[in-house]
Amino acid sequence: MRTSPWPPTGRKLVHLDLKGAPPRIEYLHRLCELFAQLGADGLLVEYEDMFPYSGDLSMLQATAHPAYSREEVLSIQDVARSKGLEVIPLVQTFGHMEFVLKHRSLWGLRELGQCLGTLSPHGEEGPRLVLEMLRQVVELHPGLNTLHIGADEVYMLGEGEESKRWLSTPGHTVEQLFLSHVTRVGRAIKEAWPHLNIVMWDDMLRGMSHDTLKASGLVGLVQPMLWDYNPGLNVEETVSLLEKYCDAGLTDVWAASAFKGSTSVHTSVTNTQRHVDNHLQWLQVAAAISPGVHLQGIALTGWQRYDHMSVLCELMPVALPSLAACLQTLIQGHFGPEVQTKVAESLGVSSVEVETLERTSVADSLFPGRRLAALIVELTQLLNSEEVCHFESNMFVRGWFSPYHRQRRAVNPLICMQIQSQAATLLTMLEEKATAAGEEMARLYPDATAREWMEQHVSPVVAPLRRITEEISACLPEMVPQQ
């Protein structure tokens, strides 16, 4: 299906989610160059604990691996700027502050004790903390024009004791509680840096009425970024929501799609078509909105974790074909055969679906991280294979090495030796592929990332196979004559 290309005045930002699997700086520089070649014109950088916070905030830096240095943060901007990419930092200021509020000394700033991500909107200490975080980020981004303050998924807002007392006053609502904090942060930003454009996620605004939005204090202060990563995005509802924001005075708005990290919390290989479909829907939205809606651009999000505490989503290399396809879909207005061919040729691959990627000795100059992508695809296919996934459910294990047999150590040696041999063969294959993938991963990412990926994806599959081989070894001496 063809529609109009993405509006030429609308920017196309690639989202870098650095709260998991932060690329080594040399690889990140290569990625910036590729993003520009693929048609992006900006980066939305969510540093989280990879930012070199200093002073009282130095505890916010990552501990599993070093945060980027000040020099490295500046180098990212230099490389991006040299390729025509604008850099927009994203700093969470209300919800999804897990990387901040996990620290014991800051537990008292949570809205609710058991809710790790939501900052209490009461008192002075929370806003002071947020504004110091913002100050350090802004000052390390000379020439900054736009800042994203997050504010999505502010879970459990209104459930804290202070909030309950505040809400007990007639006329006070959770919506007002949300707006009071966001406007306070926004006004403080404007006071410190009057030239900055402020962007925020829109989801906490969606249920608000026209009148609430109009009187919210957000008009002229922020630009909502409406996110929807669904391949079946409802065009009519999305247009209606953008029009509601516009009618309330929020005329400058953004869109946010996804090229990875939105399929499931533990997905390891990206499905390109799923994400292309999401962008095709966004093209329909852009074509249907009224002229009064000023669509500033679209952020192609690439989530690395669902939140700070969750497992890793797809690593960037396996998502690059999806990113290239999504950008070209926006630029061309469709994803027909000629666009697919152009994308494949731009990366030096035969297909836009990474599942078909094979290892090759060809240099990865067109596709930085191609070798790692191919190794992850190979390893994931083996991990998800019927033979490996359901090994414990196969006929021989269930029939001759069940928990009943293991407990009594009464087994058929011949069949159990066959089971053990099959398990050992699979273990060897898995360990060989995991070793190759791990070594390549450590070239592009911190060692801690490689270890985490292996522990999350490989270890849970390998452990049952190892256990079976060990348990058979323990049972056999009781059933086989010793030589």
Side-chain angles (χ1 to χ4, degrees):
M1 180 181 63
R2 290 174 181 263
T3 185
S4 300
W6 192 253
T9 54
R11 284 164 281 180
K12 298 177 290 297
L13 311 176
V14 176
H15 172 234
L16 283 173
D17 180 15
L18 300 175
K19 63 176 169 279
R24 293 188 186 274
I25 197 66
E26 300 82 6
Y27 183 49
L28 187 49
H29 289 170
R30 291 186 65 195
L31 288 173
C32 289
E33 294 171 5
L34 177 65
F35 297 159
Q37 291 167 13
L38 295 178
D41 43 33
L43 301 176
L44 179 62
V45 185
E46 188 162 357
Y47 291 102
E48 257 217 14
D49 59 0
M50 287 303 293
F51 187 81
Y53 288 107
S54 59
D56 291 342
L57 299 186
S58 59
M59 65 177 172
L60 302 185
Q61 291 189 33
T63 54
H65 42 70
Y68 293 129
S69 67
R70 294 177 63 85
E71 292 72 25
E72 287 172 334
V73 170
L74 290 170
S75 76
I76 295 167
Q77 297 170 69
D78 288 342
V79 172
R81 197 176 300 113
S82 73
K83 301 300 177 182
L85 299 172
E86 177 185 6
V87 175
I88 299 175
L90 190 162
V91 182
Q92 288 286 5
T93 57
F94 205 174
H96 281 304
M97 292 189 67
E98 293 91 351
F99 84 103
V100 177
L101 300 177
K102 71 178 183 181
H103 295 282
R104 184 176 290 272
S105 61
L106 300 175
W107 283 7
L109 298 182
R110 297 178 188 173
E111 166 71 346
L112 198 64
Q114 64 267 37
C115 184
L116 193 60
T118 297
L119 183 72
S120 169
H122 306 283
E124 300 298 323
E125 205 173 338
R128 191 182 304 120
L129 169 70
V130 163
L131 290 170
E132 176 59 17
M133 291 167 60
L134 291 170
R135 183 191 67 78
Q136 293 193 22
V137 170
V138 170
E139 289 184 359
L140 200 54
H141 288 76
L144 186 65
N145 293 315
T146 303
L147 176 67
H148 198 308
I149 61 168
D152 60 318
E153 297 180 334
V154 187
Y155 298 129
M156 309 304 290
L157 182 61
E159 296 298 317
E161 290 305 315
E162 262 192 283
S163 290
K164 286 180 178 177
R165 285 194 293 273
W166 189 88
L167 290 168
S168 67
T169 301
H172 284 187
T173 66
V174 174
E175 290 179 347
Q176 290 172 344
L177 196 57
F178 173 79
L179 292 169
S180 66
H181 178 79
V182 173
T183 53
R184 183 178 185 178
V185 171
R187 287 167 183 156
I189 292 170
K190 284 293 189 181
E191 186 176 330
W193 307 285
H195 68 286
L196 281 184
N197 296 309
I198 304 172
V199 180
M200 65 175 284
W201 297 117
D202 85 301
D203 52 285
M204 297 296 291
L205 308 176
R206 292 177 190 175
M208 296 184 188
S209 68
H210 169 276
D211 291 344
T212 299
L213 288 169
K214 194 168 186 178
S216 65
L218 298 179
V219 177
L221 184 65
V222 302
Q223 300 172 356
M225 180 177 276
L226 197 162
W227 58 270
D228 194 325
Y229 314 139
N230 195 325
L233 176 155
N234 188 309
V235 173
E236 186 177 341
E237 288 181 4
T238 305
V239 169
S240 176
L241 188 53
L242 289 169
E243 298 287 356
K244 181 175 80 168
Y245 293 154
C246 180
D247 291 344
L250 296 163
T251 53
D252 292 340
V253 295
W254 292 75
S257 57
F259 72 91
K260 81 177 189 77
S262 63
T263 303
S264 77
V265 71
H266 53 76
T267 298
S268 56
V269 175
T270 308
N271 180 284
T272 295
Q273 189 61 55
R274 173 187 174 86
H275 297 290
V276 165
D277 288 345
N278 176 238
H279 288 79
L280 290 170
Q281 296 300 95
W282 271 113
L283 283 172
Q284 291 188 60
V285 171
I289 54 176
S290 66
V293 178
H294 302 152
L295 196 55
Q296 301 298 299
I298 185 169
L300 292 84
T301 63
W303 299 102
Q304 195 52 73
R305 301 186 195 274
Y306 276 25
D307 67 33
H308 183 77
M309 307 304 291
S310 69
V311 297
L312 294 169
C313 301
E314 311 103 281
L315 298 183
M316 184 63 78
V318 296
L320 289 177
S322 172
L323 175 61
C326 293
L327 281 166
Q328 282 303 306
T329 297
L330 293 175
I331 292 167
Q332 303 297 333
H334 67 98
F335 194 58
E338 62 271 38
V339 178
Q340 295 179 36
T341 300
K342 180 177 180 179
V343 169
E345 289 177 350
S346 71
L347 295 176
V349 296
S350 59
S351 168
V352 296
E353 290 295 352
V354 74
E355 291 99 326
T356 66
L357 194 62
E358 296 178 353
R359 264 192 277 179
T360 175
S361 57
V362 177
D364 64 356
S365 56
L366 295 176
F367 185 160
R370 173 179 178 149
R371 175 173 164 76
L372 176 57
L375 288 166
I376 288 175
V377 168
E378 281 184 19
L379 178 55
T380 301
Q381 287 171 346
L382 180 57
L383 290 167
N384 294 338
S385 68
E386 186 84 11
E387 192 176 17
V388 170
C389 279
H390 302 293
F391 188 83
E392 288 189 287
S393 300
N394 75 39
M395 182 183 77
F396 295 101
V397 176
R398 292 191 66 180
W400 283 272
F401 200 58
S402 69
Y404 177 90
H405 295 98
R406 298 178 208 191
Q407 189 176 23
R408 289 161 179 78
R409 298 198 172 188
V411 299
N412 182 319
L414 189 62
I415 292 180
C416 283
M417 290 170 72
Q418 180 184 334
I419 293 170
Q420 191 177 44
S421 175
Q422 291 173 339
T425 299
L426 291 174
L427 277 171
T428 299
M429 291 169 61
L430 284 166
E431 287 165 356
E432 286 177 355
K433 291 182 184 297
T435 297
E439 289 173 353
E440 189 65 17
M441 209 174 285
R443 285 185 56 249
L444 306 182
Y445 293 96
D447 293 346
T449 294
R451 286 194 300 272
E452 180 183 359
W453 196 95
M454 293 299 160
E455 288 178 21
Q456 289 171 0
H457 293 283
V458 180
S459 297
V461 178
V462 165
L465 292 172
R466 283 199 180 124
R467 187 173 62 249
I468 280 181
T469 62
E470 291 166 0
E471 289 177 345
I472 290 175
S473 293
C475 291
L476 285 178
E478 301 191 19
M479 302 298 294
V480 178
Q482 300 303 303
Q483 299 297 324

